[in-house]
Amino acid sequence: MAAPDDGADGDEPLLAVEDLTTVFHTDKETIRAVDGVSFEVSEGETVGVVGESGSGKSVTARSILGLIESPGTIESGSIRFRGEELTGGNWERHRGDLSIVFQDPINSMNPVYTVGNQIREALRIHQGLRGQAAREEAVRLLEAVGIPDARRRVGEYPHQFSGGMRQRAVIAMALACDPDLLVCDEPTTALDVTIQAQILELLDDLQREEDLAILFITHDMGVIEETADRVNVMYAGEVVESAPVETLFDGPAHPYTRGLLASIPGRTATGDRLPTIEGEVPTPTESASDCRYAPRCPDAFDACERVHPEHVRVGPDQTAACLLHEEVRPRPDGRGDRGRRRRRRGRRG
Amino acid sequence: MSRSDAPAGDGAAPDGTDGTDADGAQRDPLVEVRNLKKYYEDDGFLTGDPVKAVDGVSFDIRKGETLGLVGESGCGKTTLGRTILGLESATDGEVVSDGREVARLSGKQLREWQRDAQMVFQDPEASLNDRMTVGEIIREPLDAHEQGTKAERKERVFELIDLVGLNEEHYYRYPHQFSGGQRQRIGIARALALEPEFMVLDEPVSALDVSVQARVINLLEDLQDELGLTYLFIAHDLSVVRHIADRVAVMYLGDIVELGDTEAVYNDPAHPYTVSLLSAIPGSHTGTDRDRVTLRGTPPSPRDPPQGCRFATRCPARVRPAAFADLPETAWDGIDALDTVLRERASLEDGLTDRLRRSLGLAADANDIDEVVADLFGWHPGEQSPQEGEGPLTSEARAAVEDAVRFARRGEDEEAAAVLREAFGSVCNRERPEAHVVDGDGRTSACVRHTDEYDSPAAAIDERYARRDD
Ligand code: SF4
Ligand code: SF4
């Protein structure tokens, strides 16, 4: 597991997202789908972004790839790849350096071309390979992603592949661009659990062999636990907690993270009722002047509706955007004092 | 029986296992399924083999229990649920409830059964008519079955709305104005309208976010307690099933391979498929401390299921013939992979180019089977005869592979696969295993390894993994 770059030595991480805000304009309102998101991905590292629907995780992925289309727009913030700013139309120069694998492989492939054709096309554009060299490389890539009988299957059409095989082929296409960063947007969500296990294993192997950095977007905490070195938890357009994966699962600091983990069946003794989070994820239309989780938060107190929580360090390598963790906060009646909370959490973290 | 909020004095299982022993052993079956089959024929065109979606399953659903039904897509679990409800006509076998043979019902009796037994679907969006108000949607089954007066029906709808945790004013709204969780509540209210005693819940929470999912699961458990419902809970999410089900049935390719008390199955799975399936759940909270058993490949087509054990093509514990007991694991990896390749080639419809090539007499890529073998075993069957000890195969094994390759070179993939299986197959490839009782609570598992003749599945899997590590 790679240590996240703390920037102290001035080295730029592979990918640095800073204060990213992506909005969608509708007739009535402006939806702030991603609202001030920051995180980094270092070389060879897997960074997870986890959240429920409406959290903004997929829009974050698309923003990074430059795939936001009208009525959406990146309103502000910066996305730097190897130190170079991508926003403002600089994606073309890094087309092959960043690749994305979507949830639904069939939409990522063209049904009228063979799988081999599509991989060769990517190889031609991104690596300048043609003819026999491209053919050989296409077979090698299909073999690398664990497709048996690659030499024959390279000549088949996407519909002749099963779901799992198709996702492997899509990963092979993504690898044909020879990327440094692979963005995986729910790549296993449409797959059965035994096939998911195969794909996760494959990504893990590829990461080691090809020294890939992976940005892994998912709603599934189990998948995150398995794949990520570092996790960012998103809620209503914002990252509310960021921590190394073990830290997050052992000692979640944000009330939303805690609620989310508790509501997963299997983490609660089977005889018990599942703990729940009341209410629904809001759709943010204004920039936040409060904590967006406050209406649902069991720990909310009055300041939560007036103050927008900034990220504060709650452990050696863990941050949370929650006023419980602020340096100063009004003491609500009947609640334990902040110092005690912090000490307890400090031990855990 | 549900686990949550057991009423006081109910004498719930004292050992906390919450199995069926407390009162379940005597509990009557509500639905008895016997040798049920559901095949789909092709629509005339290309009359091949039928799709054997459900292929001879037998089990009981007990009064008041939640029976979980898990398995991967295409295993037949949804078809099984629909056939039990009479929404699909059975090809063969019986579904008996309360003396009625459901699969053969028609007319009034079928309508009665379809009142007593209801289905809740995965996708509340697709199953709710967007042009009707919530009130109308929930009332529809009452209208169809002419229950009470108009006023009574309306009152009943308000009751149901309250029962599933919606508000009165929701009566006049349209489904699209609701979130996914609320829509699922509408679907549940509608299913409850006719006071069924049995519900088939088909992936009822799969489309929902976890925090919403938890609330719907709690609702289903509350309703079961309150109304004494019996559930068949179909899901691919193994953690959800573990939480909600008293017993669980594991399905693979049209067959139930294991059925038993949920906790017992999850803690100590008996069937090799269950072992692999549970070990594939991502994350640390899964409760199994076994190493992951990664299955290769995908389930074969239900149109052409393997002979013998359905799971034999992917089974990590498949019995191997004694003659090849000494082959290393890498050799078996190769043999299994070659088998998969040949099977897939045989089942794939020829593409246009393939047919064209053949009609032109160009078997252009037939020889690429040699390359597959070279990749798998490190020796090129077309070129040189290998030295003894080269590659993972023994000379007898190599001879068998060469036999198969000869057929494959001529494009006779099916024959090639048969030759390969003749040499390397075993009882697993020949006989359909029967269900064996594997614990004191009547858990069953359909695998030959539960007989004295063989090591247990777990022992076999462990042994093979250990050999691999050496
Ligand atoms: S800031 Fe307040 S409302 Fe928001 S998560 Fe923290 S305690 Fe809850
Ligand atoms: S019968 Fe054979 S192939 Fe089937 S599950 Fe048992 S060991 Fe595996």
Side-chain angles (χ1 to χ4, degrees):
Chain A
M1 164 175 151
D5 196 314
D6 61 10
D9 53 5
D11 272 354
E12 275 276 354
L14 186 66
L15 178 80
V17 177
E18 218 175 293
D19 213 13
L20 176 70
T21 300
T22 304
V23 301
F24 288 81
H25 299 288
T26 73
D27 294 346
K28 284 181 292 181
E29 56 201 5
T30 298
I31 293 166
R32 305 179 70 81
V34 177
D35 200 4
V37 161
S38 304
F39 61 84
E40 294 178 352
V41 183
S42 302
E43 277 182 71
E45 185 187 30
T46 299
V47 171
V49 174
V50 69
E52 298 182 276
S53 21
S55 65
K57 58 188 189 305
S58 280
V59 177
T60 302
R62 288 170 174 273
S63 302
I64 291 168
L65 269 289
L67 299 174
I68 298 296
E69 286 172 3
S70 176
T73 174
I74 294 179
E75 193 183 69
S76 61
S78 116
I79 301 166
R80 287 191 309 279
F81 184 77
R82 296 197 186 287
E84 200 177 328
E85 185 61 45
L86 295 181
T87 58
N90 282 333
W91 276 280
E92 273 316 314
R93 263 192 293 158
H94 291 282
R95 266 294 166 233
D97 297 337
L98 296 83
S99 276
I100 188 160
V101 174
F102 291 109
Q103 168 172 347
D104 188 359
I106 201 73
N107 291 336
S108 314
M109 303 177 102
N110 190 331
V112 302
Y113 292 107
T114 64
V115 169
N117 247 321
Q118 303 183 49
I119 297 177
R120 284 199 297 275
E121 180 68 4
L123 288 169
R124 184 181 65 76
I125 295 172
H126 297 289
Q127 300 193 40
L129 292 182
R130 284 161 202 279
Q132 190 59 23
R135 268 195 290 281
E136 285 305 317
E137 180 63 7
V139 170
R140 190 195 72 79
L141 283 170
L142 285 185
E143 278 169 357
V145 297
I147 292 183
D149 209 6
R151 213 162 271 282
R152 171 164 300 204
R153 305 221 71 174
V154 77
E156 287 172 3
Y157 293 87
H159 73 88
Q160 292 175 292
F161 281 53
S162 70
M165 284 298 156
R166 232 177 264 149
Q167 194 60 297
R168 285 176 191 267
V170 168
I171 294 172
M173 278 168 64
L175 293 177
C177 308
D178 194 20
D180 298 321
L181 176 70
L182 190 63
V183 178
C184 299
D185 187 5
E186 304 265 13
T188 60
T189 304
L191 304 176
D192 280 314
V193 63
T194 66
I195 311 297
Q196 165 170 286
Q198 294 170 357
I199 298 287
L200 295 182
E201 214 164 88
L202 167 68
L203 287 171
D204 202 49
D205 290 346
L206 289 173
Q207 173 162 52
R208 256 180 285 121
E209 284 159 22
E210 321 252 332
D211 198 27
L212 271 177
I214 296 180
L215 181 64
F216 203 107
I217 317 275
T218 179
H219 70 285
D220 188 325
M221 279 289 189
V223 169
I224 274 292
E225 188 175 10
E226 195 130 303
T227 53
D229 299 314
R230 194 176 176 82
V231 189
N232 297 284
V233 181
M234 281 191 79
Y235 182 79
E238 300 178 293
V239 171
V240 295
E241 180 162 6
S242 174
V245 70
E246 300 87 7
T247 311
L248 189 94
F249 282 87
D250 291 349
H254 195 282
Y256 175 63
T257 316
R258 284 188 232 145
L260 198 59
L261 285 174
S263 62
I264 301 171
R267 288 181 190 273
T268 302
T270 41
D272 299 343
R273 283 179 73 82
L274 285 172
T276 60
I277 305 175
E278 294 310 314
E280 310 280 335
V281 180
T283 304
T285 53
E286 308 282 335
S287 59
S289 58
D290 57 359
C291 171
R292 286 190 176 139
Y293 188 53
R296 309 174 73 188
C297 179
D299 300 322
F301 51 98
D302 21 331
C304 304
E305 281 164 30
R306 293 192 315 266
V307 183
H308 181 244
E310 298 297 327
H311 272 268
V312 290
R313 195 165 281 268
V314 296
D317 200 15
Q318 182 177 23
T319 67
C322 167
L323 298 175
L324 289 174
H325 302 283
E326 285 286 22
E327 290 306 317
V328 186
R329 69 167 180 79
R331 179 194 296 216
D333 287 344
R335 290 189 179 273
D337 81 298
R338 180 185 51 79
R340 211 180 68 216
R341 283 172 189 279
R342 295 232 314 170
R343 272 200 305 280
R344 196 184 62 211
R345 205 147 287 117
R347 265 211 309 278
R348 273 185 178 164
Chain B
M1 175 177 126
S2 160
R3 285 99 182 267
S4 60
D5 303 334
D10 175 44
D15 54 359
T17 54
D18 161 34
T20 45
D21 12 332
D23 51 353
Q26 293 82 27
R27 240 192 284 159
D28 299 327
L30 181 73
V31 181
E32 293 166 80
V33 178
R34 293 293 173 267
N35 196 27
L36 189 67
K37 293 184 182 170
K38 175 64 193 174
Y39 294 177
Y40 294 99
E41 301 288 342
D42 272 321
D43 331 322
F45 175 71
L46 269 184
T47 36
D49 301 317
V51 173
K52 297 172 178 169
V54 177
D55 201 9
V57 303
S58 302
F59 61 99
D60 290 347
I61 303 170
R62 299 171 182 166
K63 255 185 198 131
E65 80 169 341
T66 297
L67 177 64
L69 182 58
V70 300
E72 297 176 274
S73 35
C75 72
K77 55 189 190 301
T78 293
T79 304
L80 177 55
R82 293 178 58 85
T83 311
I84 289 173
L85 285 189
L87 299 174
E88 307 270 347
S89 61
T91 305
D92 196 10
E94 287 180 358
V95 178
V96 178
S97 176
D98 207 6
R100 298 169 292 192
E101 204 185 300
V102 173
R104 308 269 174 277
L105 293 180
S106 61
K108 181 161 168 286
Q109 281 182 311
L110 182 62
R111 273 164 67 81
E112 253 172 44
W113 168 246
Q114 287 177 347
R115 186 192 62 210
D116 294 344
Q118 293 284 330
M119 185 135 183
V120 174
F121 299 92
Q122 163 172 5
D123 187 357
E125 227 150 316
S127 55
L128 300 181
N129 185 340
D130 234 345
R131 282 192 303 270
M132 291 164 74
T133 64
V134 168
E136 287 165 346
I137 288 172
I138 301 175
R139 206 183 60 216
E140 198 182 34
L142 295 170
D143 292 345
H145 284 256
E146 291 164 7
Q147 302 272 304
T149 65
K150 211 163 175 230
E152 280 166 352
R153 283 179 222 162
K154 189 163 177 182
E155 195 182 321
R156 172 80 180 131
V157 173
F158 279 113
E159 258 173 54
L160 288 161
I161 283 180
D162 182 55
L163 189 65
V164 299
L166 295 170
N167 298 327
E168 271 189 23
E169 73 251 26
H170 290 155
Y171 187 100
Y172 301 101
R173 300 227 192 118
Y174 290 88
H176 66 86
Q177 295 170 293
F178 291 86
S179 66
Q182 286 172 317
R183 274 195 296 259
Q184 196 52 290
R185 286 171 196 265
I186 299 168
I188 293 168
R190 179 189 157 94
L192 289 172
L194 297 168
E195 299 180 53
E197 48 182 346
F198 172 52
M199 295 223 278
V200 174
L201 306 159
D202 188 11
E203 304 271 9
V205 297
S206 306
L208 307 176
D209 277 319
V210 266
S211 68
V212 181
Q213 165 181 299
R215 298 207 298 265
V216 174
I217 291 172
N218 287 343
L219 170 68
L220 288 170
E221 292 191 315
D222 291 346
L223 290 171
Q224 182 171 47
D225 282 351
E226 234 166 277
L227 307 172
L229 295 165
T230 301
Y231 289 154
L232 178 64
F233 191 100
I234 302 173
H236 70 279
D237 186 323
L238 299 157
S239 307
V240 169
V241 169
R242 180 176 202 169
H243 180 83
I244 201 168
D246 302 303
R247 294 190 307 148
V248 63
V250 182
M251 243 184 130
Y252 186 82
L253 212 58
D255 209 357
I256 287 182
V257 296
E258 181 163 1
L259 194 162
D261 284 349
T262 306
E263 275 313 296
V265 170
Y266 276 71
N267 286 328
D268 182 23
H271 194 278
Y273 178 61
T274 319
V275 171
S276 320
L277 188 67
L278 293 177
S279 82
I281 306 174
S284 63
H285 64 289
T286 49
T288 46
D289 42 8
R290 301 195 116 271
D291 286 339
R292 170 152 307 160
V293 180
T294 309
L295 292 179
R296 38 166 204 282
T298 45
S301 158
R303 193 184 295 279
D304 178 27
Q307 282 163 16
C309 176
R310 293 292 153 89
F311 189 48
T313 57
R314 301 171 83 202
C315 179
R318 189 182 67 90
V319 174
R320 295 165 180 169
F324 294 114
D326 295 334
L327 282 184
E329 291 304 308
T330 50
W332 286 109
D333 289 346
I335 291 164
D336 291 338
L338 184 60
D339 180 63
T340 308
V341 165
L342 293 173
R343 274 188 74 91
E344 262 172 24
R345 285 185 174 197
S347 70
L348 269 178
E349 288 164 35
D350 283 352
L352 195 60
T353 40
D354 285 342
R355 260 180 276 162
L356 203 62
R357 268 197 201 128
R358 201 152 304 158
S359 68
L360 295 172
L362 298 170
D365 50 3
N367 280 339
D368 58 10
I369 192 68
D370 293 2
E371 305 236 7
V372 172
V373 170
D375 278 352
L376 295 175
F377 303 108
W379 126 82
H380 217 287
E383 286 168 7
Q384 79 281 25
S385 55
Q387 304 296 305
E388 191 54 45
E390 193 185 334
L393 298 180
T394 59
S395 50
E396 296 94 73
R398 205 156 42 218
V401 170
E402 270 175 334
D403 279 349
V405 164
R406 263 192 288 280
F407 284 97
R409 282 211 196 102
R410 296 199 292 266
E412 295 167 15
D413 298 315
E414 211 163 316
E415 293 76 2
V419 166
L420 197 69
R421 215 155 312 134
E422 181 61 37
F424 298 105
S426 70
V427 56
C428 296
N429 304 89
R430 288 187 297 269
E431 285 169 29
R432 194 155 169 195
E434 36 181 302
H436 298 269
V437 174
V438 294
D439 71 12
D441 292 324
R443 170 153 49 130
T444 55
S445 167
C447 171
V448 293
R449 285 196 172 276
H450 299 302
T451 54
D452 291 341
E453 215 172 313
Y454 305 103
D455 289 342
S456 74
I461 293 171
D462 287 348
E463 196 235 5
R464 288 178 193 180
Y465 270 75
R467 271 172 34 139
R468 202 176 281 277
D469 289 342
D470 285 346

